[in-house]
Amino acid sequence: MTLCSRAYLRRKSDENSLKMAQTSGLIQRSRFLLLMILFLPHVMTSSVLSVNGKTENYILDTEPGLQESLKCAVQNHIRDEELLWYREDGRVDLKSGNKINSSSVCVSGISEDDHGITFTCKLQRNQSVSISVVLNVTFPPLLSGNDFQTAEEGSDVKLVCNVKSNPQPQMMWYKNNGILNLENHHRIQQTSEYFQLSITKVKKSDNGTYSCIANSLIETKTKDFHLIVKDKGSTVPIEPIIAACVVVFLTLVFGVIARRKRIMKLCRKDQGPQCRTAL
């Protein structure tokens, strides 16, 4: 084979390799463009929810007596989307004109009981797409409990001061308008719902007025508990008294039955001669 022939064949081989490389690159670019075309609409049209302009879950600070409006809207949608509202796990009824692409709920007459309540807006088509708002209702301490308690000396007593407040207050016990000096028979227990003073084996010296004081950033509240300790009364055994009453009752019953039989016998004797005379 001549040198020209070899050179020609080598050039042809190089051209074929170049064409194959260009074809492979074209196929790869086509695949990439196809993936982009398929993925781009999903990116551009994925729906996002917002409430009052916020696209993330958030906490709404409010107070008792106020009214709050929550507006949920769909962003990046290419078709009409129906919206759902939930209060905790319960569905909120919406009017027909308050469902498509934008929906509002009005929370009126907010009270202390609404603290921590969650409102959630969802896409009806895909309820995994949602956004939530938690109500943070701030209010001063609300205290309650049994105002008067009477106990016998030597018994155990619990003074329970029920507490409801946001934010949580600092709690203290006072006695007769002074800070309570905790002794060995005093024990304090506190939760988010109550502040309790336990007194074991109360003494006469435990008589007095105990004040439950809640010191909040908003306001300080006080609740008084009056404790009266009585002398320990003598205990009367109940069981022997009951047994004696039962014995007396049975004796009377048997006595009446015995007398009844005797009276019946006397009546029969009195009626005997009369019966014979009649015959």
Side-chain angles (χ1 to χ4, degrees), residues 241-276:
I241 294 176
I242 295 175
C245 291
V246 171
V247 170
V248 172
F249 175 74
L250 293 176
T251 302
L252 292 174
V253 170
F254 289 132
V256 171
I257 293 174
R259 286 179 175 275
R260 182 175 178 277
K261 290 180 178 179
R262 186 175 178 182
I263 293 171
M264 292 296 293
K265 288 180 180 180
L266 291 174
C267 289
R268 290 195 186 98
K269 288 180 180 181
D270 292 339
Q271 293 175 358
Q274 296 176 2
C275 291
R276 286 194 295 270

Side-chain angles (χ1 to χ4, degrees), residues 26-38:
L26 181 61
I27 292 173
Q28 290 181 357
R29 285 195 297 272
S30 299
R31 289 178 178 175
F32 177 75
L33 290 174
L34 180 61
L35 290 175
M36 288 295 295
I37 291 171
L38 293 175

Side-chain angles (χ1 to χ4, degrees), residues 152-198:
E152 284 190 353
E153 192 174 6
S155 63
D156 295 340
V157 174
K158 290 182 179 179
L159 304 179
V160 182
C161 179
N162 300 309
V163 185
K164 194 173 183 181
S165 178
N166 182 42
Q168 286 294 316
Q170 292 183 343
M171 305 296 298
M172 294 186 66
W173 278 107
Y174 275 57
K175 181 183 178 183
N176 298 330
N177 298 322
I179 296 177
L180 175 63
N181 294 320
L182 297 178
E183 301 178 10
N184 293 332
H185 66 307
H186 291 154
R187 187 168 65 89
I188 290 178
Q189 183 179 0
Q190 182 175 1
T191 69
S192 60
E193 298 179 350
Y194 65 84
F195 188 51
Q196 177 177 291
L197 172 63
S198 300

